Amino acid sequence: MPAGAEELARAWLKDAGVRVVVGLKDSAVTTVDQSLLYTGSEQGKLLALRNLIAEGGLPYPSLIFVQSIERADELARQLVLDGVRAEAVHGGKSKTRRDQAIADFRTGAAWVLVVTEVLARGMDFRGVKVVVNYDFPQTVPSYIHRIGRTGRAGRPGKAITFFSTEDGPYLRTIANVLRASGCAVPEYMLQMPKASKNLKRKLAKAPVKRKAVGGGGRDLIKEAGKKKKQMIEASKRRKEAAAKGKGEKEGKGGKKAEKMDESD
């Protein structure tokens, strides 16, 4: 239960109610083998994922979490080009298309789902073997819910979380969750500085800005934004030109009428 919801509940319950905790707070189940993998950059992430697939470290079915709709579509396309039967599921798709992708995943027609937070809570898949946090989770609850898609009903599962240079300030928080769950964590991660309150506020307002999936080359998201901006500006210029032309035409019509009056 999020802290805000718990605080609201305590305000209305008699004597603040009774809090029941099963297991440890902010910790994952012990059936999930968790690990953190430094990838350095966006290029490193895609390379690490390809290596996992090549080495058999990403058995099917598996889930891959990213932080935005655009990145989900990009990564799914990359995997399809690599010969992986992958589908993207996110809030930007219609319910029909989401349901079809999930049905394909359940039947084995799709091997991997690339998803956003829309699938982090509530969705239950039997037999998910690996969860990959391609983009570093923004909060501890997000991390726990993501990796909770595997290791269900006593089955073993595996969770691999990629982190790059941009994620450094938030690494210690997630590393502590791994340690509390009994997973091995390098000592240097636990000794890293804690994220400041300002950083946490900044992250709460907007996620970490990332380059296009794969890094390097063309930044498709940036290009799409630039193209949209250019289209809006061009549309404004056309409207202004049309309004100006109409005004000049009306002005000429008025002058012509005045000359006719004078001639009369």
Side-chain angles (χ1 to χ4, degrees):
M1 182 183 292
E6 184 176 340
E7 186 178 346
L8 182 62
R10 287 184 180 279
W12 288 93
L13 290 171
K14 183 180 179 181
D15 299 327
V18 176
R19 188 171 190 242
V20 179
V21 179
V22 180
L24 297 174
K25 189 178 185 297
D26 291 340
S27 66
V29 293
T30 55
T31 53
V32 180
D33 177 23
Q34 305 166 63
S35 61
L36 295 163
L37 180 63
Y38 177 63
T39 57
S41 63
E42 284 297 328
Q43 286 178 308
K45 282 184 182 181
L46 191 56
L47 179 61
L49 186 61
R50 284 172 171 162
N51 285 342
L52 275 176
I53 295 170
E55 295 168 0
L58 193 67
Y60 310 130
S62 295
L63 294 174
I64 302 176
F65 281 93
V66 293
Q67 76 178 32
S68 69
I69 289 172
E70 295 81 8
R71 290 176 65 77
D73 287 334
E74 282 181 42
L75 185 55
R77 281 195 294 267
Q78 288 281 357
L79 290 173
V80 169
L81 290 172
D82 288 345
V84 178
R85 293 182 186 176
E87 295 273 4
V89 176
H90 50 68
K93 287 193 172 185
S94 66
K95 186 178 184 302
T96 302
R97 292 183 66 188
R98 291 200 306 269
D99 289 347
Q100 184 59 56
I102 290 169
D104 288 345
F105 186 65
R106 291 188 190 280
T107 59
W111 302 338
V112 173
L113 284 188
V114 184
V115 299
T116 55
E117 289 292 325
V118 72
L119 233 68
R121 298 167 185 262
M123 187 64 71
D124 183 23
F125 294 109
R126 289 186 179 181
V128 170
K129 296 177 181 178
V130 177
V131 168
V132 176
N133 288 314
Y134 191 87
D135 289 335
F136 202 73
Q138 307 296 297
T139 63
V140 169
S142 172
Y143 173 77
I144 291 172
H145 283 291
R146 285 184 185 188
I147 70 171
R149 300 309 96 202
T150 186
R152 301 178 73 81
R155 298 184 183 91
K158 190 173 184 180
I160 305 167
T161 301
F162 295 167
F163 67 97
S164 57
T165 305
E166 294 88 350
D167 304 310
Y170 316 104
L171 180 61
R172 179 174 171 174
T173 303
I174 302 301
N176 281 325
V177 176
L178 269 74
R179 184 181 63 171
S181 304
C183 298
V185 179
E187 193 61 31
Y188 80 89
M189 292 184 183
L190 302 173
Q191 294 176 355
M192 293 182 73
K194 291 182 180 180
S196 65
K197 289 184 178 180
N198 286 336
L199 272 175
K200 288 181 179 179
R201 288 195 200 101
K202 184 179 178 182
L203 190 64
K205 291 179 180 178
V208 174
K209 291 184 179 180
R210 303 185 189 279
K211 294 181 180 178
V213 169
R218 296 170 60 190
D219 189 333
L220 299 180
I221 296 176
K222 189 175 181 180
E223 285 183 16
K226 188 176 180 180
K227 186 176 181 181
K228 185 177 180 181
K229 187 178 180 181
Q230 288 174 342
M231 289 173 66
I232 293 171
E233 290 176 349
S235 177
K236 285 181 180 178
R237 286 195 296 269
R238 286 196 296 271
K239 287 180 181 178
E240 289 172 358
K244 186 178 179 182
K246 185 178 179 181
E248 290 177 352
K249 190 174 181 181
E250 289 176 350
K252 288 178 180 178
K255 290 179 180 179
K256 188 175 181 181
E258 288 176 7
K259 287 181 179 179
M260 289 178 67
D261 290 340
E262 288 173 0
S263 62
D264 291 343

Coordinates of all heavy atoms in Angstrom, one line a residue, residues 111-171:
W111 N 6.8 -14.3 -27.7 CA 7.7 -14.8 -26.7 C 8.0 -13.8 -25.6 O 8.3 -14.1 -24.5 CB 9.0 -15.2 -27.4 CG 8.9 -16.3 -28.4 CD1 7.8 -17.1 -28.6 CD2 9.8 -16.5 -29.5 NE1 8.0 -17.9 -29.7 CE2 9.2 -17.6 -30.3 CE3 11.0 -16.0 -29.9 CZ2 9.9 -18.1 -31.4 CZ3 11.6 -16.5 -31.0 CH2 11.1 -17.5 -31.8
V112 N 8.0 -12.5 -26.0 CA 8.4 -11.4 -25.1 C 7.4 -10.3 -25.2 O 6.9 -10.0 -26.4 CB 9.8 -10.9 -25.5 CG1 10.1 -9.7 -24.7 CG2 10.9 -12.0 -25.3
L113 N 7.0 -9.7 -24.1 CA 6.2 -8.5 -24.1 C 7.1 -7.4 -23.6 O 7.7 -7.5 -22.5 CB 5.0 -8.7 -23.2 CG 3.8 -9.5 -23.6 CD1 2.6 -9.4 -22.6 CD2 3.3 -9.1 -25.0
V114 N 7.1 -6.3 -24.4 CA 7.8 -5.1 -23.9 C 6.7 -4.2 -23.4 O 5.7 -3.8 -24.2 CB 8.5 -4.4 -25.1 CG1 9.3 -3.2 -24.6 CG2 9.5 -5.4 -25.8
V115 N 6.7 -3.8 -22.1 CA 5.6 -3.2 -21.5 C 6.0 -1.9 -20.7 O 7.2 -1.8 -20.3 CB 4.9 -4.2 -20.5 CG1 4.3 -5.3 -21.3 CG2 5.8 -4.7 -19.5
T116 N 5.0 -1.1 -20.4 CA 5.2 0.0 -19.5 C 4.6 -0.3 -18.1 O 4.2 -1.5 -17.9 CB 4.6 1.3 -20.1 OG1 3.2 1.0 -20.4 CG2 5.3 1.7 -21.4
E117 N 4.4 0.7 -17.3 CA 3.9 0.4 -15.9 C 2.5 -0.1 -15.9 O 2.0 -0.6 -14.9 CB 3.9 1.7 -15.1 CG 5.3 2.2 -14.7 CD 6.0 1.2 -13.7 OE1 5.3 0.7 -12.9 OE2 7.2 1.0 -13.8
V118 N 1.8 0.0 -17.1 CA 0.4 -0.5 -17.2 C 0.3 -1.9 -16.8 O -0.7 -2.4 -16.4 CB -0.2 -0.2 -18.6 CG1 0.4 -1.1 -19.6 CG2 -1.7 -0.3 -18.6
L119 N 1.4 -2.7 -17.0 CA 1.4 -4.1 -16.7 C 2.1 -4.5 -15.4 O 2.3 -5.6 -15.1 CB 2.0 -4.9 -17.9 CG 1.1 -6.0 -18.4 CD1 -0.1 -5.4 -19.1 CD2 1.9 -6.9 -19.4
A120 N 2.6 -3.5 -14.7 CA 3.3 -3.7 -13.5 C 2.5 -4.2 -12.3 O 2.9 -4.9 -11.4 CB 4.1 -2.5 -13.1
R121 N 1.2 -3.9 -12.4 CA 0.3 -4.2 -11.3 C -0.9 -5.0 -11.7 O -1.5 -4.7 -12.8 CB -0.2 -2.9 -10.6 CG 0.9 -2.1 -9.9 CD 0.4 -0.7 -9.6 NE 1.4 0.1 -9.1 CZ 1.7 0.3 -7.8 NH1 1.0 -0.3 -6.9 NH2 2.7 1.1 -7.4
G122 N -1.3 -6.0 -11.0 CA -2.5 -6.7 -11.2 C -2.5 -7.8 -12.3 O -3.3 -8.7 -12.2
M123 N -1.7 -7.7 -13.3 CA -1.7 -8.7 -14.4 C -1.0 -9.9 -14.0 O 0.2 -9.8 -13.5 CB -1.1 -8.1 -15.6 CG -1.2 -9.0 -16.9 SD -2.9 -9.2 -17.4 CE -3.3 -7.6 -18.0
D124 N -1.6 -11.0 -14.1 CA -1.0 -12.3 -13.6 C -0.7 -13.2 -14.8 O -1.6 -13.6 -15.6 CB -1.9 -13.0 -12.6 CG -1.3 -14.3 -12.1 OD1 -0.1 -14.4 -12.1 OD2 -2.0 -15.2 -11.7
F125 N 0.6 -13.5 -15.0 CA 0.9 -14.5 -16.1 C 1.6 -15.7 -15.4 O 2.5 -15.5 -14.6 CB 1.9 -13.8 -17.0 CG 1.4 -12.7 -17.9 CD1 1.8 -11.4 -17.6 CD2 0.5 -12.9 -18.9 CE1 1.3 -10.4 -18.4 CE2 -0.1 -11.9 -19.6 CZ 0.3 -10.6 -19.4
R126 N 1.1 -16.8 -15.7 CA 1.7 -18.0 -15.2 C 3.0 -18.4 -15.9 O 3.0 -18.4 -17.2 CB 0.8 -19.2 -15.2 CG -0.4 -19.1 -14.3 CD -1.2 -20.4 -14.3 NE -2.3 -20.3 -13.4 CZ -3.2 -21.3 -13.2 NH1 -3.1 -22.4 -13.8 NH2 -4.2 -21.1 -12.3
G127 N 4.1 -18.7 -15.2 CA 5.3 -19.2 -15.9 C 6.2 -18.2 -16.5 O 7.1 -18.5 -17.2
V128 N 6.0 -16.9 -16.1 CA 7.0 -15.9 -16.6 C 8.3 -16.2 -16.0 O 8.4 -16.2 -14.7 CB 6.5 -14.4 -16.3 CG1 7.7 -13.4 -16.6 CG2 5.3 -14.1 -17.1
K129 N 9.3 -16.4 -16.8 CA 10.6 -16.9 -16.2 C 11.6 -15.7 -15.9 O 12.3 -15.8 -14.9 CB 11.3 -17.8 -17.2 CG 10.5 -19.1 -17.5 CD 11.1 -20.0 -18.5 CE 10.3 -21.2 -18.7 NZ 10.8 -22.1 -19.8
V130 N 11.5 -14.7 -16.7 CA 12.5 -13.6 -16.4 C 11.7 -12.2 -16.6 O 10.9 -12.1 -17.6 CB 13.7 -13.6 -17.4 CG1 14.6 -12.4 -17.2 CG2 14.4 -14.9 -17.2
V131 N 12.0 -11.3 -15.8 CA 11.6 -9.9 -15.9 C 12.9 -9.1 -16.1 O 13.8 -9.1 -15.3 CB 10.8 -9.4 -14.7 CG1 10.6 -7.9 -14.8 CG2 9.4 -10.1 -14.7
V132 N 12.9 -8.3 -17.1 CA 14.1 -7.4 -17.4 C 13.6 -5.9 -17.2 O 12.7 -5.5 -17.9 CB 14.7 -7.6 -18.8 CG1 15.8 -6.5 -19.0 CG2 15.2 -9.0 -18.9
N133 N 14.2 -5.2 -16.3 CA 13.9 -3.8 -16.1 C 14.9 -3.1 -17.1 O 16.0 -2.7 -16.7 CB 14.1 -3.3 -14.7 CG 13.0 -3.8 -13.8 OD1 11.9 -3.7 -14.1 ND2 13.4 -4.3 -12.6
Y134 N 14.5 -2.9 -18.3 CA 15.4 -2.3 -19.3 C 15.7 -0.8 -18.9 O 16.8 -0.3 -19.0 CB 14.7 -2.3 -20.7 CG 15.6 -2.0 -21.9 CD1 16.4 -2.9 -22.5 CD2 15.6 -0.7 -22.4 CE1 17.2 -2.6 -23.6 CE2 16.4 -0.3 -23.4 CZ 17.2 -1.3 -24.0 OH 18.0 -0.9 -25.1
D135 N 14.6 -0.2 -18.5 CA 14.7 1.2 -17.9 C 14.6 1.1 -16.4 O 13.7 0.4 -15.9 CB 13.7 2.1 -18.4 CG 13.9 2.5 -19.9 OD1 15.1 2.4 -20.3 OD2 13.0 2.8 -20.6
F136 N 15.5 1.7 -15.7 CA 15.5 1.7 -14.2 C 14.2 2.1 -13.6 O 13.7 3.2 -14.0 CB 16.7 2.5 -13.7 CG 17.2 2.2 -12.3 CD1 17.9 1.0 -12.2 CD2 16.9 3.0 -11.2 CE1 18.4 0.7 -10.9 CE2 17.4 2.7 -10.0 CZ 18.1 1.5 -9.8
P137 N 13.6 1.4 -12.7 CA 12.4 1.8 -12.0 C 12.5 3.1 -11.3 O 13.5 3.4 -10.7 CB 12.0 0.6 -11.1 CG 13.3 0.0 -10.8 CD 14.1 0.1 -12.1
Q138 N 11.4 3.9 -11.3 CA 11.4 5.2 -10.7 C 11.3 5.2 -9.1 O 11.8 6.1 -8.5 CB 10.3 6.1 -11.2 CG 10.3 6.1 -12.8 CD 11.5 6.8 -13.3 OE1 11.7 8.0 -13.1 NE2 12.3 6.1 -14.1
T139 N 10.6 4.1 -8.6 CA 10.4 4.0 -7.2 C 10.6 2.6 -6.7 O 10.5 1.7 -7.5 CB 9.0 4.5 -6.8 OG1 8.0 3.7 -7.4 CG2 8.8 6.0 -7.2
V140 N 10.7 2.4 -5.4 CA 10.8 1.1 -4.8 C 9.5 0.3 -5.1 O 9.5 -0.9 -5.5 CB 11.1 1.1 -3.3 CG1 10.9 -0.2 -2.7 CG2 12.5 1.6 -3.1
P141 N 8.3 0.9 -4.9 CA 7.0 0.1 -5.2 C 7.0 -0.3 -6.6 O 6.5 -1.4 -6.9 CB 5.9 1.1 -4.8 CG 6.5 2.0 -3.8 CD 8.0 2.1 -4.2
S142 N 7.4 0.6 -7.5 CA 7.4 0.2 -9.0 C 8.3 -1.0 -9.2 O 7.9 -1.9 -9.9 CB 7.9 1.4 -9.8 OG 8.1 1.0 -11.1
Y143 N 9.5 -1.0 -8.6 CA 10.4 -2.1 -8.8 C 9.8 -3.4 -8.3 O 9.9 -4.4 -9.0 CB 11.7 -1.8 -8.0 CG 12.7 -3.0 -8.0 CD1 13.5 -3.3 -9.1 CD2 12.8 -3.8 -6.9 CE1 14.3 -4.4 -9.1 CE2 13.7 -4.8 -6.8 CZ 14.4 -5.1 -8.0 OH 15.3 -6.2 -7.9
I144 N 9.2 -3.4 -7.1 CA 8.7 -4.6 -6.5 C 7.5 -5.1 -7.3 O 7.4 -6.3 -7.5 CB 8.2 -4.3 -5.0 CG1 9.5 -4.0 -4.2 CG2 7.4 -5.4 -4.5 CD1 9.2 -3.6 -2.8
H145 N 6.7 -4.2 -7.8 CA 5.5 -4.7 -8.6 C 6.0 -5.3 -9.9 O 5.4 -6.2 -10.4 CB 4.5 -3.6 -8.8 CG 3.7 -3.3 -7.6 ND1 2.7 -4.2 -7.2 CD2 3.6 -2.3 -6.7 CE1 2.1 -3.7 -6.1 NE2 2.7 -2.5 -5.8
R146 N 7.0 -4.6 -10.5 CA 7.5 -5.1 -11.8 C 8.1 -6.6 -11.7 O 7.7 -7.5 -12.4 CB 8.6 -4.2 -12.3 CG 8.2 -2.9 -12.9 CD 9.4 -2.2 -13.4 NE 9.2 -0.9 -13.9 CZ 10.1 -0.1 -14.6 NH1 11.3 -0.6 -14.8 NH2 9.8 1.1 -15.0
I147 N 9.0 -6.8 -10.7 CA 9.6 -8.1 -10.6 C 8.6 -9.1 -10.0 O 8.9 -10.3 -10.1 CB 10.9 -8.0 -9.8 CG1 10.6 -7.8 -8.3 CG2 11.9 -7.0 -10.4 CD1 11.8 -7.9 -7.4
G148 N 7.5 -8.6 -9.4 CA 6.5 -9.5 -8.9 C 5.7 -10.3 -10.0 O 4.9 -11.1 -9.7
R149 N 6.0 -9.9 -11.3 CA 5.3 -10.7 -12.4 C 5.9 -12.0 -12.6 O 5.4 -12.9 -13.3 CB 5.4 -9.9 -13.7 CG 4.8 -8.5 -13.7 CD 3.4 -8.4 -13.2 NE 3.3 -8.1 -11.8 CZ 2.3 -8.3 -11.0 NH1 1.3 -9.0 -11.4 NH2 2.4 -7.9 -9.7
T150 N 7.1 -12.3 -12.0 CA 7.7 -13.6 -12.0 C 7.9 -14.1 -10.6 O 7.6 -13.4 -9.6 CB 9.1 -13.5 -12.7 OG1 9.6 -14.8 -12.9 CG2 10.1 -12.7 -11.9
G151 N 8.3 -15.4 -10.5 CA 8.4 -16.0 -9.2 C 7.1 -16.1 -8.4 O 7.0 -16.1 -7.2
R152 N 6.0 -16.4 -9.2 CA 4.7 -16.4 -8.6 C 4.3 -17.8 -8.2 O 4.7 -18.8 -8.8 CB 3.6 -15.8 -9.5 CG 3.9 -14.4 -9.9 CD 2.9 -13.8 -10.9 NE 1.6 -13.5 -10.3 CZ 1.3 -12.5 -9.5 NH1 2.3 -11.5 -9.3 NH2 0.2 -12.3 -9.0
A153 N 3.4 -17.9 -7.2 CA 2.9 -19.2 -6.7 C 4.0 -20.2 -6.4 O 3.9 -21.4 -6.7 CB 1.9 -19.8 -7.7
G154 N 5.1 -19.7 -5.8 CA 6.2 -20.6 -5.4 C 7.2 -21.0 -6.5 O 8.2 -21.7 -6.3
R155 N 6.9 -20.6 -7.8 CA 7.8 -20.9 -8.9 C 9.0 -20.0 -8.8 O 9.0 -18.9 -8.4 CB 7.1 -20.7 -10.2 CG 5.9 -21.5 -10.5 CD 5.4 -21.3 -11.9 NE 4.1 -22.0 -12.1 CZ 2.9 -21.6 -11.9 NH1 2.7 -20.4 -11.4 NH2 1.9 -22.3 -12.2
P156 N 10.2 -20.5 -9.2 CA 11.4 -19.7 -9.3 C 11.3 -18.7 -10.4 O 10.7 -18.9 -11.5 CB 12.5 -20.7 -9.5 CG 11.8 -21.8 -10.2 CD 10.5 -21.9 -9.7
G157 N 11.9 -17.5 -10.2 CA 11.9 -16.5 -11.3 C 13.2 -15.7 -11.2 O 14.0 -15.9 -10.3
K158 N 13.4 -14.9 -12.2 CA 14.6 -14.1 -12.3 C 14.3 -12.7 -12.7 O 13.5 -12.5 -13.6 CB 15.6 -14.8 -13.3 CG 17.0 -14.2 -13.2 CD 17.9 -15.0 -14.1 CE 19.4 -14.5 -14.0 NZ 20.3 -15.3 -14.9
A159 N 15.0 -11.7 -12.1 CA 14.8 -10.3 -12.4 C 16.1 -9.7 -12.6 O 17.0 -9.7 -11.7 CB 14.0 -9.6 -11.3
I160 N 16.3 -9.0 -13.8 CA 17.6 -8.4 -14.1 C 17.2 -6.9 -14.4 O 16.4 -6.6 -15.2 CB 18.2 -9.0 -15.4 CG1 18.4 -10.5 -15.2 CG2 19.5 -8.3 -15.7 CD1 18.7 -11.2 -16.5
T161 N 17.9 -6.0 -13.6 CA 17.7 -4.6 -13.8 C 18.9 -3.9 -14.4 O 20.0 -3.9 -13.8 CB 17.4 -4.0 -12.4 OG1 16.2 -4.6 -11.9 CG2 17.1 -2.5 -12.5
F162 N 18.7 -3.3 -15.5 CA 19.8 -2.5 -16.2 C 19.9 -1.2 -15.5 O 18.9 -0.6 -15.2 CB 19.6 -2.4 -17.6 CG 19.6 -3.6 -18.4 CD1 19.1 -3.6 -19.8 CD2 20.1 -4.8 -17.9 CE1 19.1 -4.8 -20.5 CE2 20.1 -6.0 -18.7 CZ 19.6 -6.0 -20.0
F163 N 21.1 -0.6 -15.3 CA 21.2 0.8 -14.9 C 22.4 1.4 -15.7 O 23.4 0.7 -16.0 CB 21.4 0.9 -13.4 CG 22.7 0.3 -12.8 CD1 23.8 1.2 -12.6 CD2 22.8 -1.0 -12.5 CE1 24.9 0.7 -12.1 CE2 24.0 -1.5 -12.0 CZ 25.1 -0.7 -11.8
S164 N 22.2 2.7 -16.0 CA 23.2 3.4 -16.8 C 23.7 4.5 -15.9 O 23.3 4.7 -14.7 CB 22.6 4.0 -18.1 OG 21.5 4.8 -17.8
T165 N 24.6 5.4 -16.4 CA 25.1 6.5 -15.7 C 24.1 7.4 -15.1 O 24.2 7.9 -14.0 CB 26.1 7.3 -16.6 OG1 27.1 6.4 -17.1 CG2 26.8 8.3 -15.8
E166 N 23.0 7.6 -15.9 CA 21.9 8.5 -15.5 C 21.2 8.0 -14.2 O 20.6 8.8 -13.5 CB 20.9 8.7 -16.6 CG 21.4 9.5 -17.8 CD 22.1 8.5 -18.8 OE1 22.3 7.3 -18.5 OE2 22.4 8.9 -19.9
D167 N 21.2 6.7 -14.0 CA 20.5 6.1 -12.9 C 21.3 6.1 -11.6 O 20.8 5.6 -10.6 CB 20.0 4.7 -13.3 CG 19.2 4.7 -14.6 OD1 18.3 5.5 -14.7 OD2 19.6 3.9 -15.4
G168 N 22.6 6.5 -11.6 CA 23.4 6.4 -10.5 C 22.9 6.9 -9.2 O 23.0 6.2 -8.1
P169 N 22.3 8.1 -9.2 CA 21.8 8.7 -7.9 C 20.7 7.9 -7.2 O 20.5 8.0 -6.0 CB 21.3 10.1 -8.3 CG 22.0 10.4 -9.6 CD 22.2 9.1 -10.3
Y170 N 20.0 7.0 -8.0 CA 18.9 6.3 -7.4 C 19.2 4.8 -7.2 O 18.3 4.0 -6.8 CB 17.7 6.4 -8.4 CG 17.5 7.8 -8.9 CD1 17.8 8.1 -10.2 CD2 17.0 8.8 -8.1 CE1 17.7 9.4 -10.7 CE2 16.8 10.1 -8.6 CZ 17.2 10.4 -9.9 OH 17.0 11.7 -10.4
L171 N 20.5 4.4 -7.5 CA 20.8 3.0 -7.4 C 20.8 2.4 -6.0 O 20.3 1.3 -5.8 CB 22.2 2.8 -8.0 CG 22.8 1.4 -8.0 CD1 21.9 0.5 -8.9 CD2 24.2 1.4 -8.6

